[in-house]
Amino acid sequence: MARSEIVITAAPDDGLRRSLEFALESSGFRVDAHSYATDAFASRYARRAACAVIDDRAVDWKIAPGQFLIFARPVILLVSLFRAAPELQKVTLVTKPFLGGPLIEAVRNAITAAD
C-alpha cells in the first residue's frame, strides 16, 4: 500500500487553520482541515491520513487521550509556550508560533517513523 500524504488538521482560529493548510500544501501534502479535533478524528479521511496536526485549543482534554489512541497515527500537537500538554503516545509537540520549518519537519518525521 502506498503511503498516505493526507494530513488532517484542527485549529479553531481561521487564520491559523489557513496558515497550516498553506504550509502543508506548499510542502506537497493534501490537507483535510477542521476547527476541532473531534471533527478531524471523525473525518472521512482520518483512517487514510498519514498523521494529524492539532492545535492545543482544538482539543477537549477530557477525551483527548482516547481520541489520540483510537486515531493510531502520529499526532503533531501545536502548543503555546505557556501551556503544559499531557504526555501522550505518538504525539510530537511543536511550539507556536514557530510553525514553518519545524512543523513540516515534524510531519515528515512522523510519517517516516510510522512507515
Side-chain angles (χ1 to χ4, degrees):
M1 175 197 269
R3 181 174 75 195
S4 175
E5 297 297 336
I6 299 171
V7 177
I8 61 171
T9 64
D13 179 78
D14 288 340
L16 177 58
R17 193 169 52 252
R18 287 188 192 110
S19 293
L20 291 172
E21 285 181 88
F22 178 78
L24 291 165
E25 288 175 348
S26 295
S27 295
F29 298 102
R30 291 179 45 211
V31 177
D32 180 39
H34 301 274
S35 295
Y36 295 97
T38 301
D39 299 328
F41 292 131
S43 159
R44 68 182 188 179
Y45 297 106
R47 289 183 180 234
R48 295 186 299 160
C51 68
V53 175
I54 308 293
D55 180 58
D56 62 352
R57 293 173 300 148
V59 175
D60 177 344
W61 289 106
K62 293 176 188 168
I63 62 173
Q67 283 182 320
F68 288 19
L69 184 63
I70 291 169
F71 180 60
R73 285 168 194 74
V75 174
I76 291 90
L77 184 63
L78 309 177
V79 295
S80 70
L81 290 170
F82 306 106
R83 174 145 174 74
E87 297 253 345
L88 299 167
Q89 292 183 1
K90 294 187 179 184
V91 174
T92 301
L93 302 180
V94 173
T95 305
K96 298 182 281 186
F98 308 108
L99 299 179
L103 172 64
I104 300 307
E105 182 179 342
V107 169
R108 287 189 178 133
N109 289 341
I111 291 171
T112 300
D115 284 346

